[in-house]
């Protein structure tokens, strides 16, 4: 069950959780220096981020001293517990996400659904290990282009927001399997979405789409396309030539012509 956070306690929550991730003792820095991981030319924040990465990268296995190794393991377990807490912040009343979330480099799942978030920090694009991002049911009006840098993302859920468009950079999410944009106000889709070569499930229901990009004929692994309750006049013929397509749902649109070639295909 997701942890409930009262809005005015959010800063305190961050101080007690995210803040702990960036607490690295002098002893740990000294150990890194001894092992020729020199931080003297870096700022304190960069040193802390770097130290966090070492802890999560099984650095403890390189430490011979058993007492210090136990200390590093303790720090590592604390960090992992914080990740477990932060991966599901759904069903709260959060209205913003701090940019420091972009420094949670090991995060693989982030569920921020059912909040009142108005914007997403561009720093989330730094989460190179993130596989699932759930932003359903918020107040978002735009998606930062930096989310196109989430190279491991497989599932992106952003339904029930106030989006009118998607950034073309989302076409760079080559590992994406599912994209859900239901119940927004999107009227045009970027042609770059056709570059999502691993996409299997695409949900576009309840938007203001007039047409679908012809580049969708490149979605070679697409199995299901849902585009009901839009303003579509026709469907690209190429959709019906996709080898893996099984279901195309497009009821409650404005389609007035069905080409015989579609039926033959």
């Amino acid at each position: 069950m997701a942890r409930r956070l009262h809005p005015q306690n959010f800063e305190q929550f961050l101080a007690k959780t995210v803040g702990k991730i960036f607490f690295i003792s002098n002893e740990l820095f000294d150990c890194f220096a001894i092992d020729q991981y020199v931080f003297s030319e870096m700022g304190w924040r960069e040193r802390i981020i770097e130290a966090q990465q070492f802890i999560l990268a099984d650095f403890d296995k390189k430490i011979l001293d058993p007492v210090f190794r136990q200390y590093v393991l303790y720090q590592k377990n604390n960090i992992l517990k914080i990740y477990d807490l932060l991966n599901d912040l759904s069903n709260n009343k959060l209205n913003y996400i701090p940019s420091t979330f972009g420094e949670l480099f090991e995060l693989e799942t982030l569920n921020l659904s059912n909040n009142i978030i108005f914007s997403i920090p561009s720093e989330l694009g730094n989460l190179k290990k993130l596989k699932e991002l759930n932003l359903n049911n918020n107040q978002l009006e735009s998606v930062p282009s930096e989310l196109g840098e989430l190279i491991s993302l497989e599932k992106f859920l952003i339904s029930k927001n106030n989006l009118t468009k998607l950034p073309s950079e989302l076409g760079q999410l080559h590992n994406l399997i599912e994209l859900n944009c239901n119940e927004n106000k999107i009227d045009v889709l970027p042609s770059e979405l056709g570059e999502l070569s691993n996409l299997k499930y695409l949900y576009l229901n309840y938007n203001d789409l007039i047409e679908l990009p012809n580049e969708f004929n490149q979605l070679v692994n697409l199995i299901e396309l849902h585009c009901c309750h839009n303003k579509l006049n026709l469907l690209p013929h190429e959709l019906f030539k996709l080898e893996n397509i099984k279901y195309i749902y497009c009821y409650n649109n404005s389609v007035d012509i069905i080409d015989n070639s579609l039926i033959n295909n």
Side-chain angles (χ1 to χ4, degrees):
M1 180 180 294
R3 178 175 176 177
R4 294 286 297 179
L5 298 176
H6 202 271
Q8 53 260 46
N9 294 332
F10 191 35
E11 291 292 347
Q12 296 177 8
F13 165 76
L14 291 176
K16 292 179 181 178
T17 55
V18 179
K20 288 182 181 178
I21 292 178
F22 303 126
F23 173 76
I24 305 295
S25 70
N26 290 331
E27 290 86 355
L28 194 55
F29 280 131
D30 291 340
C31 177
F32 291 150
I34 291 172
D35 285 84
Q36 298 182 352
Y37 295 112
V38 182
F39 296 87
S40 58
E41 296 181 359
M42 302 172 64
W44 70 270
R45 191 171 187 80
E46 288 75 14
R47 293 173 64 194
I48 288 171
I49 293 172
E50 191 77 9
Q52 177 200 181
Q53 291 177 314
F54 276 116
I55 286 181
L56 291 170
D58 294 328
F59 180 73
D60 50 282
K61 295 178 181 178
K62 303 176 183 178
I63 301 174
L64 297 179
D65 185 288
V67 176
F68 192 69
R69 185 189 306 117
Q70 193 64 33
Y71 167 75
V72 173
L73 282 171
Y74 173 76
Q75 290 281 53
K76 180 178 180 179
N77 288 334
N78 280 342
I79 291 175
L80 292 176
K81 288 178 183 177
I82 293 169
Y83 273 102
D84 287 340
L85 174 63
L86 291 179
N87 66 13
D88 190 352
L89 293 171
S90 60
N91 298 294
N92 282 287
K93 296 182 180 179
L94 306 179
N95 56 21
Y96 81 104
I97 297 300
S99 60
T100 49
F101 268 53
E103 294 164 2
L104 301 172
F105 302 115
E106 300 296 315
L107 204 62
E108 294 186 2
T109 302
L110 181 56
N111 186 350
L112 298 169
S113 62
N114 300 308
N115 281 283
I116 49 175
I117 301 169
F118 287 88
S119 65
I120 295 296
S122 60
E123 287 79 1
L124 284 192
N126 296 329
L127 304 181
K128 305 305 182 186
K129 294 187 178 181
L130 195 67
K131 294 182 179 180
E132 180 174 339
L133 177 58
N134 188 342
L135 300 173
N136 286 345
N137 199 21
N138 278 284
Q139 300 295 319
L140 299 173
E141 295 185 356
S142 63
V143 175
S145 60
E146 288 79 4
L147 294 193
E149 300 172 14
L150 298 174
I151 57 176
S152 298
L153 198 64
E154 298 177 357
K155 191 173 185 179
F156 186 20
L157 311 178
I158 195 165
S159 66
K160 296 184 178 180
N161 279 280
N162 298 314
L163 303 177
T164 57
K165 62 180 181 178
L166 298 175
S168 60
E169 288 79 3
L170 293 187
Q172 301 170 16
L173 302 175
H174 299 303
N175 287 307
L176 196 65
I177 295 174
E178 178 178 344
L179 175 60
N180 190 328
C181 304
N182 285 343
E183 298 187 52
N184 280 281
K185 302 174 183 178
I186 302 171
D187 53 4
V188 175
L189 292 172
S191 60
E192 288 79 2
L193 291 186
E195 299 173 15
L196 299 174
S197 56
N198 282 305
L199 193 66
K200 294 183 178 180
Y201 306 98
L202 178 56
Y203 300 88
L204 301 167
N205 298 321
Y206 291 95
N207 278 284
D208 295 323
L209 295 170
I210 298 176
E211 62 180 2
L212 299 178
N214 289 327
E215 288 76 6
F216 274 15
N217 66 345
Q218 302 172 34
L219 299 176
V220 293
N221 285 302
L222 192 65
I223 295 175
E224 294 185 16
L225 172 62
H226 299 252
C227 52
C228 305
H229 294 276
N230 278 280
K231 301 176 182 178
L232 299 173
N233 294 314
L234 54 84
L235 297 175
H237 296 178
E238 291 80 4
L239 283 177
F240 298 85
K241 298 179 183 179
L242 294 174
E243 291 184 4
N244 292 301
I245 196 75
K246 291 185 178 180
Y247 303 103
I248 298 179
Y249 299 95
C250 60
Y251 56 82
N252 281 327
N253 276 282
S254 301
V255 176
D256 53 5
I257 297 176
I258 299 178
D259 195 305
N260 287 333
S261 63
L262 303 185
I263 300 175
N264 293 334
N265 286 325

